[in-house]
Amino acid sequence: MIKVALAGQPNCGKSTIFTMLSGVNQHIANYPGVTVDKKTAYLSHGGEKIEVVDLPGTYSFSSFSLEERVAKNYLIDENPDVILNIIDASNIKRSLYLTFQLLELGRPVVIVLNMMDVAKRRGLDIDAGKLSEMLKVRVVEAVGSRNIGKKDILSSILEANSHKATGFEINYEELEPYIARFTEKISIESEIAPRWFAIKALEADDTVLAKAGIPKEEMDAQYKKIHSEHNIDIDSFLAAIRYQSADYLYHKSVKEASEKKETLTSKADKIILNRWLAFPFLAGVIYLVYQLSIVLGYKLTNYTWPYLAMVKNFIISILPEPQFIDVPMLTDFGIWMTNSALALLNYVPIFLILFALIAIIEDIGYMPRIAFILDRLFKRFGLHGQSTLPLVLGGAFIGGCAVPGIMATKGIADDRARLATILTVPYMNCLAKVPFYALLLGAFFEGQMTTMMFFISTVTIFIALSVARIITLTFLKNRETAPFVMELPPYHLPTLKGVVLRSFQRVWLYIKKVGSIVLAVAVVLFVLLQFPGASDEVVSEMRADADAALVKFDQTAKKTQYYETLKDKENVYKLVNLYNSYRAQKMIASSPEAAEKLDVAFREANPVLFGFISPDDADQKKINREVRGLARASQTILNKLKSEKIETSFLGMFGKSLEPVTQFAGFDWRVNVAFLSSFAARESAVATIGSIYESGKTDARAEEAISEDGLYTPLHAVAMLIFMILTPPCIATMIVVRMQSGSYKWMVFAIFFPMLLGVVMASVFFNIGMLFSLTGVQTMFAFYLFMLASAIILGFVKGKSINWKGGYLEKNQ
């Protein structure tokens, strides 16, 4: 099998080429030990099997970002047979910076000039043959969005695999003696060229130094020697040589039109990046994303829920049947796990639309422009443009995850901004919070979902900015800062295939998370909510109520001709179970024909007992009325017993112990239990609420149960939303905070500061709403205005700035 590594800079169309080559035969996982996606595809061509691995987009092979480290480590450790370097044909000069480093690896390389259509529209005449001759590698022209170039790429891969690398080298002038010296020292068992390792050692790459066994102290001494003897900075010197070489190659192989026409990108940017229009346009994009995903997606759940209810009915049908109020533990556990999973799977339509929209925004090229727009704002709060990607990954567009968001902060050269970003990413609306928001909005704000989601999504930015400013003015005031430089890619039309594939892939990853982390947490919660169980006194009381209901039924049955069948309690229990099952399936019958088929199926399976469910004579009608009453009595008793069991459980007792504090926010022990479970995984809050409010109605959703309970109002819901917005992240995120900050102190801060802030803010605005008789939306708007005002005021507070004076120049990206 030929192992191919797909490498390229961000926004070069690498994902489009990968999708063109692989189609739907993609496997998504994570690289070991990190949260960066690992996309793999297997295909065949010319009788050869090919494995294609899509490496994270990276501008170079420094160790500034997690993506760069992942791509570099893969190339070193996995030794791919062929490297497929994707280049944006409309921006060759910039792309060659990475190409040179790939060629220096000493592995066979195939260059794909993608987006040739865009290059031609810009008046660029590219001589691919000349470029191939100068770089000594195969160069293929392609348009990934139109499926052009696939056969040529695959053929070039086979050809490159059958030949050795051509040994391309750049002359680094004054540094060449040092490169030669370090090349002799390299004793790493790898197919990568020793010269590449030597160059990376000169760049003080920690990974290479560790693999080569070169002490960092020795490298530091060499660095100082080079600097004093030649008066050059290694990183900036290497970068300058590469950019000069790229410029030379570009002018030799590319001819530009004598009269350059204004591109569509530049025309669009005059509006999209306009000083006065940029922020309204960005706000409009965010609003549209939530209108289409949250509101439209939630409406779609009305059509998908009946199918989930069918799944629930099926699972219940194969579990041991209850004996009136005696429910087997296995049945209880099965229903608990089913409710936990379905409460989350119900929101899959929302995620499909959301992920598709995010993929479109990424493919178009608007995401980097968001960084550009927000950089001016972020500077006032101790952050800068490089904070944008971590915040977006964390959920600035709702649907992210704090773990990759925090991991992405590694690429921030500004030490103060990096730590501030690490501590503010958890305030973003990660994917795991969306089901909780959808639950409360569906229960209490169905008519105002778009407005509420706009408040929720954008207020987190104000919170993050306020917290970042407070931190940078206090704890981080003595940390160094650095500038942010970036290049905006041209706009591209996304491909339907790519958007659909990525949205389905991300949803599948979400479903796998439901099947692992959340359900594992659900098992632990089930145990904590089951024991020590209800008291003997309460159980005796409930049994007395059950016996009274059964006696009443028996007295009525005695007066009918069917008493011989119904005098046996086992038959009575079967009748109640049959009634509950029939009613649940009848509620989700999609048509009169389906309902008729259901009647026929139930009558054939239970010819005697079904007569009491669908009565024909007077005696059957009497029993039918009593069966309905008996089913209601059974469910009422079970709900009381369940409530008592949860309240007296280990988790329930802990939740009640927090009520003296959380009562000011309107939280009772049930809400406390839901939030406690969410610290293991945010989705567990919905799963817990969905199970706590399980009413026995298999057709009822969690939001219906909580809204019909009567204990909570929209004002309670707003307090819960505020707390969820501000609460500390899950356990996995806390571990990553410790890893990236290198300090337990910051991890502890990231846990307790948001928790304290969440309780205080939820309490304050809950009581403000009560005092002034505000509606839920009005209270949320008041919270929104408060956070907006706080961010504006803090943005004008000035603090001292320590300019960055390290030995490395920031990359020109």
Side-chain angles (χ1 to χ4, degrees), residues 692-704:
I692 287 177
Y693 283 93
E694 161 67 17
S695 62
K697 299 178 181 179
T698 55
D699 59 302
R701 299 196 283 185
E703 52 264 43
E704 295 172 0

Side-chain angles (χ1 to χ4, degrees), residues 787-801:
M787 293 313 308
L788 174 60
S790 299
I792 292 173
I793 293 170
L794 287 167
F796 285 101
V797 178
K798 293 184 177 180
K800 72 174 182 177
S801 177

Side-chain angles (χ1 to χ4, degrees), residues 365-395:
Y366 186 57
M367 200 68 81
R369 285 164 173 80
I370 296 174
F372 176 79
I373 293 167
L374 294 178
D375 181 55
R376 289 175 289 176
L377 172 67
F378 283 177
K379 284 179 181 177
R380 290 183 172 272
F381 297 90
L383 305 171
H384 63 47
Q386 280 182 302
S387 301
T388 303
L389 178 60
L391 292 174
V392 169
L393 289 174

Side-chain angles (χ1 to χ4, degrees), residues 140-184:
V140 180
E141 298 181 5
V143 182
S145 61
R146 298 182 185 175
N147 234 31
I148 297 173
K150 180 177 178 179
K151 288 184 179 179
D152 290 339
I153 292 172
L154 293 174
S155 298
S156 295
I157 289 173
L158 298 187
E159 188 179 347
N161 182 60
S162 62
H163 297 82
K164 291 183 179 181
T166 51
F168 175 88
E169 290 184 4
I170 291 178
N171 186 346
Y172 290 110
E173 300 173 359
E174 288 97 323
L175 292 180
E176 283 298 328
Y178 299 95
I179 293 173
R181 191 180 309 160
F182 274 98
T183 300
E184 294 175 358

Side-chain angles (χ1 to χ4, degrees), residues 140-415:
V140 180
E141 298 181 5
V143 182
S145 61
R146 298 182 185 175
N147 234 31
I148 297 173
K150 180 177 178 179
K151 288 184 179 179
D152 290 339
I153 292 172
L154 293 174
S155 298
S156 295
I157 289 173
L158 298 187
E159 188 179 347
N161 182 60
S162 62
H163 297 82
K164 291 183 179 181
T166 51
F168 175 88
E169 290 184 4
I170 291 178
N171 186 346
Y172 290 110
E173 300 173 359
E174 288 97 323
L175 292 180
E176 283 298 328
Y178 299 95
I179 293 173
R181 191 180 309 160
F182 274 98
T183 300
E184 294 175 358
K185 282 190 172 187
I186 299 299
S187 59
I188 302 173
E189 291 187 8
S190 173
E191 296 182 30
I192 302 298
R195 177 182 170 85
W196 184 86
F197 283 110
I199 295 170
K200 297 307 295 179
L202 275 174
E203 290 179 308
D205 187 294
D206 291 338
T207 303
V208 171
L209 291 175
K211 287 181 179 292
I214 301 174
K216 198 169 189 307
E217 295 76 16
E218 180 183 342
M219 190 60 246
D220 290 339
Q222 285 289 336
Y223 195 96
K224 291 177 181 178
K225 182 181 178 182
I226 294 171
H227 192 276
S228 62
E229 290 183 1
H230 301 281
N231 196 28
I232 61 174
D233 177 272
I234 292 178
D235 281 3
S236 59
F237 185 79
L238 288 170
I241 294 291
R242 287 166 183 158
Y243 281 124
Q244 288 170 11
S245 301
D247 186 68
Y248 175 78
L249 284 169
Y250 177 79
H251 285 98
K252 286 289 184 180
S253 58
V254 180
K255 292 181 181 179
E256 299 178 354
S258 55
E259 292 184 8
K260 289 187 178 180
K261 295 181 180 179
E262 188 177 17
T263 64
L264 178 63
T265 293
S266 60
K267 291 178 181 178
D269 279 342
K270 287 181 179 179
I271 300 172
I272 294 172
L273 300 182
N274 180 275
R275 183 175 182 179
W276 305 108
L277 299 177
F279 281 101
F281 186 85
L282 176 60
V285 169
I286 295 174
Y287 190 88
L288 182 64
V289 167
Y290 300 136
Q291 177 67 31
L292 293 176
S293 62
I294 305 298
V295 177
L296 178 61
Y298 185 80
K299 289 180 179 178
L300 290 178
T301 64
N302 293 327
Y303 300 96
T304 58
W305 175 253
Y307 295 100
L308 296 179
M310 289 172 61
V311 172
K312 181 177 178 179
N313 286 331
F314 171 74
I315 293 173
I316 291 175
S317 70
I318 62 176
L319 293 171
E321 290 189 337
Q323 300 294 299
F324 200 49
I325 66 168
D326 292 318
V327 182
M329 180 69 75
L330 178 60
T331 302
D332 246 351
F333 178 71
I335 294 174
W336 169 273
M337 297 302 290
T338 302
N339 289 335
S340 297
L342 296 188
L344 299 169
L345 294 177
N346 184 43
Y347 302 111
V348 165
I350 293 176
F351 297 144
L352 275 172
I353 298 174
L354 181 61
F355 288 144
L357 292 174
I358 291 175
I360 290 171
I361 291 172
E362 290 172 343
D363 287 354
I364 285 175
Y366 186 57
M367 200 68 81
R369 285 164 173 80
I370 296 174
F372 176 79
I373 293 167
L374 294 178
D375 181 55
R376 289 175 289 176
L377 172 67
F378 283 177
K379 284 179 181 177
R380 290 183 172 272
F381 297 90
L383 305 171
H384 63 47
Q386 280 182 302
S387 301
T388 303
L389 178 60
L391 292 174
V392 169
L393 289 174
F397 272 101
I398 289 194
C401 177
V403 172
I406 293 173
M407 294 295 284
T409 60
K410 192 69 175 177
I412 302 177
D414 184 324
D415 186 48

Side-chain angles (χ1 to χ4, degrees), residues 286 289-291 293-294 350-351 353-359 361 367 391-401 427-438 441 449-450 452-461 506 721 725:
I286 295 174
V289 167
Y290 300 136
Q291 177 67 31
S293 62
I294 305 298
I350 293 176
F351 297 144
I353 298 174
L354 181 61
F355 288 144
L357 292 174
I358 291 175
I361 291 172
M367 200 68 81
L391 292 174
V392 169
L393 289 174
F397 272 101
I398 289 194
C401 177
Y427 292 101
M428 296 297 98
N429 292 306
C430 68
L431 171 65
K433 291 183 179 181
V434 175
F436 186 83
Y437 295 150
L441 297 185
M449 288 186 76
T450 302
M452 290 293 287
M453 277 308 307
F454 182 78
F455 285 156
I456 291 169
S457 60
T458 52
V459 78
T460 55
I461 296 292
R506 289 174 176 175
L721 289 170
I725 289 169

